[in-house]
Amino acid sequence: MAPLRPLRHPCLPGALLALLGLAHPWLEASMARHMLAELPLLFALGWYAAALAGARWRPARAYAAPLLLAALLIVSVWMLPVALDLAVLHPAVNALKVLGLLLAGALAGAAWPVAGLVLQGFFMFNWSWMTIVGGLLYQDAPQQLCSVYLSEQQWSTGAGLVALASAVLVLWLLHSVFLPALTSMAPPCDGAV
């Protein structure tokens, strides 16, 4: 347990956010890095901060659905091409993007443990479906959607969104649905040979 203690330091999310800020110009130079690396990393940092807060910041079960809905709505805004353009072109909008995604991750991270499997599944399938459809639209768009990114970058970003959403959904299904079902069906070990 001692090797994991540094990962629980309360200043670690801020330090990781500072490192992400240093990589900001490189991340936003490509549409794929912007959408497939920077946005998920900001969300993950918010989730990590909520995990560090632990039970102190965990809401009652009744508030899990509204918190997850708020997180889903915030994330969906930053999938729009116009939002990406504004975030790259205007520092104030970029700051709003960073704060919004950190908040979305924190809300989701706080609500997830109390949400239950059905509610988690509802939001996981909705996020995955929305991201896959967005990725397909990015791939099939006949015109350039973002003014700051070339149209060639749209296809690779769309393919990456489809792959990311599919991978996250499969990992969640394995972790939350299939593995628990398999372990509950395993015969008990009684120690007899």
Side-chain angles (χ1 to χ4, degrees), residues 150-164:
L150 300 174
S151 59
E152 297 87 41
Q153 294 180 355
Q154 285 177 191
W155 191 92
S156 61
T157 301
L161 285 171
V162 170
L164 175 70

Side-chain angles (χ1 to χ4, degrees), residues 139-150:
Q139 290 179 54
D140 292 337
Q143 73 277 3
Q144 183 174 343
L145 297 176
C146 289
S147 63
V148 295
Y149 296 115
L150 300 174

Side-chain angles (χ1 to χ4, degrees), residues 31 77-86 138 145-148:
M31 185 180 189
V77 166
W78 297 107
M79 291 182 64
L80 299 172
V82 68
L84 288 180
D85 281 342
L86 291 173
Y138 272 116
L145 297 176
C146 289
S147 63
V148 295

Side-chain angles (χ1 to χ4, degrees), residues 42-48 50 57 71 75 100-110:
L42 288 169
F43 184 86
L45 276 175
W47 189 297
Y48 181 53
W57 204 59
V75 167
L101 286 167
L102 289 172
L103 175 64
L107 293 175

Side-chain angles (χ1 to χ4, degrees), residues 125-149:
F125 280 105
N126 276 298
W127 172 81
S128 298
W129 177 248
M130 175 185 67
T131 305
I132 288 170
V133 168
L136 293 173
L137 290 173
Y138 272 116
Q139 290 179 54
D140 292 337
Q143 73 277 3
Q144 183 174 343
L145 297 176
C146 289
S147 63
V148 295
Y149 296 115

Side-chain angles (χ1 to χ4, degrees), residues 6 9 36-37 43-44 49-50 58 60 100-101 110 117 136-137 139 141 170 173:
H9 196 279
L36 301 172
F43 184 86
R58 196 156 294 147
L101 286 167
L117 186 62
L136 293 173
L137 290 173
Q139 290 179 54
V170 166
L173 284 169

